[in-house]
């Protein structure tokens, strides 16, 4: 698949107690959140990858920073979210049948950095992406942006049946 960054661990010969560190470029895909699309900027991040080998297993660490651009959940204006990522995975030398002792991103000695980075980013996202924490959003009555035009519509409109009755009374 094009654009997927993997690392072949066979090319890295680590003995117990040794560590491999490298900067790896990883292409990030747009994310869906609350029905909206958020674009990672830059698309290509340089992540710090560290692989530490122990006799019982291998620890994988991935760190990078990314900015997400997309619509504010409340007002739909552009919002930018800065997301620092520090992810960690573990694969035991002899994991047996236990899923907890293996990482889902390692298959046949290939580490899928793209999938890992995508999931790590998704885990760090808040429920809602806002243009600013106190965004006032859109007016529920008229739909205008309350950040730019703060207003309220006062008391609810008087019941039209009463005004109809009032105009009837005026005619009498
Ligand atoms: Zn907003
Ligand atoms: Zn309004």
């Amino acid at each position: 698949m094009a654009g997927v960054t993997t690392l072949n661990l066979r090319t890295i010969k680590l003995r117990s107690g040794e560590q491999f560190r490298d900067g790896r470029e990883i292409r990030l895909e747009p994310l869906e959140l609350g029905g909206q699309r958020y674009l990672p900027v830059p698309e290509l991040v340089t992540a710090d990858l560290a692989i530490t080998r122990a006799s019982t297993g291998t620890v994988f660490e991935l760190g990078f920073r990314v900015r997400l651009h997309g619509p504010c959940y409340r007002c739909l204006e552009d919002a930018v979210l800065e997301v620092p990522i520090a992810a960690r995975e573990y694969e035991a030398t002899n994991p047996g049948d236990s899923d907890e002792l293996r990482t889902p991103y390692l298959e046949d000695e290939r580490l899928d950095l793209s999938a890992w980075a995508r999931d790590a980013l998704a885990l760090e996202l808040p429920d809602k992406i806002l243009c600013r924490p106190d965004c006032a959003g859109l007016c529920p009555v008229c739909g205008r942006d309350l950040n730019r035009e703060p207003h309220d519509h006062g008391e609810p409109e008087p019941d039209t049946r009463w005004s109809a009755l009032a105009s009837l009374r005026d005619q009498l």
Side-chain angles (χ1 to χ4, degrees), residues 71-79 129-138 145 147:
C72 168
Y73 179 82
R74 288 190 195 142
C75 74
L76 303 178
E77 290 292 314
D78 289 339
I129 292 178
L130 300 175
C131 61
R132 56 175 208 236
D134 62 345
C135 171
L138 301 177
D145 190 336
N147 298 309

Side-chain angles (χ1 to χ4, degrees), residues 138-146 149 151-153:
L138 301 177
C139 172
V141 177
C142 69
R144 280 186 300 191
D145 190 336
L146 290 170
E149 298 176 65
H151 66 276
D152 63 56
H153 292 268

